[in-house]
Amino acid sequence: MVSNTTCIPRKPCSIYPSNPVTQSVGNGELAIDLVTVKSNPDSNGVPVVSPHRYAFGCATTSNFLSGLFEGAEGVAGLGRSSYLSLVTQFAINYRLPRIFALELSGGFSNNVYFGGGPYIHPDFSSESNINRVLEYTPLLINPKSSEDYFVDLKSMQIHGKTVPIDTKFLSINKVTGIGGTKIDIQTPYTTLETSIYNAVIKVYTEWAKSENITVVAAVSPFTSCYKSSTLPSWLESGFPISPPSLSFVFPKNQWNVAWWDLFKVNDAVHCVAFVDGGLKPLTSIVIGAAQIGFLEFDISRSRLGFMQPNYMSGF
């Protein structure tokens, strides 16, 4: 990710990369290098070196990777319009549509796909997962944050019950850019404005009581936790299959998330995987990595694709 650049003839091009976790901005240089890619649908194929060169921002500030996952060597920019976004560079170099998909699938490999489907994964067994049947909802533009991916969320449902949310938080202010709902994999767990968070936790509390689920002490950063052995379990052909427990409702359809609204803290405790984002966040709802699973970002058509239901997420 690069905030701006300053190029001096016959000298390195200076850039100012930002760390999305610490929000710090450091010094760096613009570099060009080859990348190793793997073709899809042959997802078991041998990685090959792309014949095209790609631009990268190389941080020269010490400890710049602080806060990133262990082993991480940098941050891949996937913004909507930046020339340094990998989405844009792959689209130009390979004449691909400006589409990318994210697979954050817990026990399976995490992948990024460029150029659109079909999306095939060798670990998937059911026909629906092999072919990745997707539904779509429009992507919105935030006038103050054009690189981010906003969606028109109308409501949320938890185990079939609609969460009472003040709808003013769900719209984007056309002047300030405040409010609305965005997708952000840099956010580990879905983050909610305080009143929305309280309403969500209340619905979960009522559900837990109705199911005779044992409440246990909170585990930071979560506030609502349960004894794992008292949670409902569903089995189908010997495998755990859970019905949708959380739904993000859009104008014409809804994205059902199956069971991954809860985070397994340890073998004994699961917690509601939402975080209080405060009273005045810039964005009311930020859907984080723990609830994503598989998503397609179709920039060329300004739409978001999602599986139905989303079983494949995990964190």
Side-chain angles (χ1 to χ4, degrees):
M1 294 184 173
V2 177
S3 56
N4 54 64
T5 62
T6 304
C7 291
I8 302 175
R10 298 179 183 177
K11 291 186 178 181
C13 186
S14 298
I15 62 172
Y16 304 98
S18 61
N19 183 317
V21 177
T22 63
Q23 301 299 314
S24 61
V25 177
N27 295 320
E29 296 178 353
L30 188 66
I32 297 177
D33 205 347
L34 298 173
V35 299
T36 301
V37 297
K38 187 186 297 183
S39 64
N40 181 60
D42 184 17
S43 55
N44 280 327
V46 177
V48 296
V49 176
S50 166
H52 304 285
R53 294 185 178 273
Y54 291 80
F56 297 89
C58 297
T60 57
T61 305
S62 62
N63 299 322
F64 183 75
L65 300 180
S66 175
L68 301 182
F69 285 105
E70 183 178 353
E73 297 181 1
V75 178
L78 297 171
R80 299 179 75 161
S81 58
S82 169
Y83 286 112
L84 290 182
S85 168
L86 286 181
V87 185
T88 301
Q89 294 193 64
F90 270 101
I92 293 173
N93 286 335
Y94 286 98
R95 296 182 179 179
L96 297 172
R98 293 175 64 226
I99 301 173
F100 73 97
L102 295 173
E103 178 185 34
L104 307 179
S105 52
F108 302 104
S109 298
N110 295 328
N111 298 301
V112 182
Y113 301 87
F114 294 96
Y119 304 104
I120 298 177
H121 196 293
D123 292 317
F124 292 169
S125 57
S126 71
E127 187 69 21
S128 61
N129 283 336
I130 289 175
N131 293 325
R132 297 290 179 88
V133 177
L134 302 179
E135 293 186 24
Y136 292 91
T137 191
L139 287 169
L140 305 181
I141 297 290
N142 185 317
K144 295 295 183 180
S145 186
S146 60
E147 291 295 320
D148 289 324
Y149 297 94
F150 280 77
V151 289
D152 189 10
L153 185 70
K154 294 300 185 183
S155 65
M156 294 173 61
Q157 292 182 356
I158 298 171
H159 294 282
K161 182 175 181 178
T162 299
V163 180
I165 298 174
D166 188 337
T167 56
K168 71 179 182 182
F169 291 111
L170 301 180
S171 60
I172 303 170
N173 187 294
K174 296 181 179 179
V175 177
T176 65
I178 294 174
T181 302
K182 73 175 181 179
I183 313 289
D184 187 0
I185 63 171
Q186 297 171 142
T187 302
Y189 310 102
T190 295
T191 302
L192 310 170
E193 183 275 337
T194 295
S195 68
I196 300 175
Y197 178 81
N198 291 337
V200 164
I201 294 300
K202 182 179 179 181
V203 174
Y204 274 107
T205 300
E206 294 171 350
W207 166 74
K209 184 177 181 181
S210 69
E211 295 285 341
N212 294 319
I213 297 169
T214 301
V215 177
V216 298
V219 179
S220 181
F222 312 117
T223 63
S224 185
C225 299
Y226 310 122
K227 185 177 181 180
S228 301
S229 62
T230 64
L231 290 170
S233 62
W234 294 268
L235 293 176
E236 183 176 299
S237 301
F239 295 95
I241 300 295
S242 59
S245 48
L246 167 70
S247 298
F248 296 109
V249 181
F250 303 120
K252 295 184 178 181
N253 52 16
Q254 62 187 49
W255 173 24
N256 298 315
V257 178
W259 204 236
W260 297 108
D261 51 338
L262 300 182
F263 175 73
K264 183 179 179 180
V265 176
N266 53 50
D267 289 338
V269 176
H270 278 71
C271 297
V272 178
F274 294 94
V275 177
D276 188 344
L279 289 170
K280 295 182 179 181
L282 292 178
T283 304
S284 301
I285 299 175
V286 180
I287 300 176
Q291 281 78 41
I292 286 179
F294 185 91
L295 289 179
E296 178 189 81
F297 297 80
D298 187 343
I299 301 172
S300 58
R301 299 182 184 179
S302 194
R303 63 181 188 173
L304 176 76
F306 50 89
M307 293 177 65
Q308 199 71 278
N310 178 17
Y311 286 123
M312 299 308 299
S313 61
F315 209 68

